[in-house]
Amino acid sequence: MISDLAQSDPARYGIDGRTASQIAASVEGAVTAGTLAAGDRLPSVRRLAEALAVSPATVASAFRTLRQRGVLVTRERSGARISGRPPLAFRPEPHVPSGAVDLASGNPDPALLPRLSPALARIEPSGLLYGDHAIDPRLRAQAEASLSASGVPASHIAVVGGAMDGVERVLGAHLQPGDQVLVEDPGYHAVLDLVRAMALVPRPVPLDAEGALPDALARALTPQARALVLTPRAQNPGGSAVTAERAIALREVMQRADGVLVVEDDHAGGVAGAPHHPVAPAAGRWAVIRSVGKSLGPDLRLAVLAADAETAGRIEGRQRLGTGWVSHLLQRMVATLWEDPQVRARVQAASEAYGQRRAALLSALVAQGITAQGASGLNVWIPVREEETVVTGLLGRGWAVRAGERFRLDSPAAVRVTTSALTAADATRFAADLAAVLHASHGRTHPA
Ligand SMILES: Cc1ncc(COP(=O)(O)O)c(C=O)c1O
């Protein structure tokens, strides 16, 4: 239930303190403890200042900090509320009950990942010491070849701990708290949460099967927008893949947007089932990140990154101060896997299997009169009227899928179905069950 603290005693909710940072910390603590929940309305600055016997300026400063950290949102007239997704605690994925078929996790099919043990047995310990080079020369050469083959200039390369680590490092290299970041809507929930956790403000850009819509992107590029995060293929959750034509249109828009950083998250490179038509290098500040998570396995935690000289330099400099570098054991492991013709054949086979599984579900849905999207990658996105009713109804029939809420800003309701391990027979059964659930919930198979 949403609480309105406007008239009640702030101490009941654990809000106290004499200084702005103490007050802000007490609000954060109450959110983490669950005493304050998303949507709860806080007292006005004046009332809270009276209740805590501090000046209104102190409370206003605490509220400013909480807004910058993404904990509070303030709207005219309705005052300050706890934000819908305060970036304080890690929100685990909803549990998939045992017995249910897991179409919820977004994971690659473990049976389609290459076996790592033969490569593990072949890699030699590097013996590297502090101060040595950050990037394994074999991995660098492969990253340069792979990115250049997609038309990405690869003269400045970094190696990072996966696509999300790359996105965080690139945004952190240029942005300040409060800056706006344009994100795909619907988009990957971890990107939305990361943007908020960095005290940045996500702004939605709608997309279709071919990627972000150029006109909508141009309109979203207000002077407050400092960065754009795009997925070139295997867009999560909608499955879009940027076509060659769309990439030209998006590059034109970004060439006019002086100083806006463009980050391209190629998280499923290799198994996306669509070519990579890059957009980011058209901008002055840019980075393209290619992760091995979906093709070689999420636990390798490695992505290669190409960027403009300044961005790459800042990333390397900051990385040196923190984690130092990505372990050369991992780098050699990825280089060894990338060089192995058997592994390359297996990745290609996985990409084809994912394409067939996605297509099988899409055609089973069409046969039931249900429209859905999924041009590439591991997921299919199905518009529905009521997400929770559909998720619960499907669970009752033994299927776990993901409600779209965490992936959306302004876009309409939908559910995400991960097709990576879905057989054709199961796709047919699933589509029939979904049709029955939709029919039971609103008397027709397609949302109004
Ligand atoms: C769009 C998107 N980006 C990034 C990731 C995570 O990539 P990594 O494991 O390389 O951080 C995912 C995982 O599903 C994703 O869907």
Side-chain angles (χ1 to χ4, degrees), residues 121-266:
R122 290 210 300 275
I123 55 168
E124 291 290 326
S126 68
L128 229 78
L129 296 171
Y130 295 114
D132 282 340
H133 52 280
I135 304 184
D136 176 78
R138 266 160 71 215
L139 186 69
R140 178 191 287 279
Q142 289 165 342
E144 284 169 1
S146 152
L147 289 160
S148 330
S150 307
V152 177
S155 27
H156 304 283
I157 296 277
V159 177
V160 291
M164 292 303 296
D165 182 46
V167 173
E168 177 170 10
R169 288 182 184 283
V170 178
L171 293 177
H174 291 291
L175 272 63
Q176 301 290 330
D179 283 349
Q180 289 187 7
V181 180
L182 305 185
V183 292
E184 296 162 332
D185 182 21
Y188 183 38
H189 61 75
V191 168
L192 295 180
D193 289 348
L194 173 69
V195 163
R196 290 190 177 98
M198 295 178 76
L200 304 169
V201 183
R203 289 280 179 247
V205 178
L207 66 169
D208 64 13
E210 299 183 12
L213 299 173
D215 289 347
L217 174 61
R219 281 194 298 279
L221 280 165
T222 60
Q224 292 75 41
R226 306 304 313 139
L228 164 70
V229 182
L230 281 182
T231 321
R233 47 187 174 169
Q235 199 267 348
N236 184 1
S240 322
V242 176
T243 56
E245 205 182 350
R246 180 64 59 84
I248 293 171
L250 291 171
R251 286 201 289 266
E252 271 171 24
V253 174
M254 292 321 298
Q255 268 156 1
R256 295 198 299 269
D258 198 23
V260 176
L261 168 72
V262 184
V263 189
E264 219 161 289
D265 169 12
D266 188 23

Side-chain angles (χ1 to χ4, degrees), residues 358-373 380-382 417 427-428 430-432 434-435 438 445:
R358 219 178 44 247
L361 178 62
L362 289 171
S363 59
L365 291 170
V366 168
Q368 295 289 345
I370 300 168
T371 28
Q373 295 169 42
V380 163
W381 183 243
I382 309 175
V417 180
T428 309
F430 173 84
L434 176 61
L438 291 175
T445 51

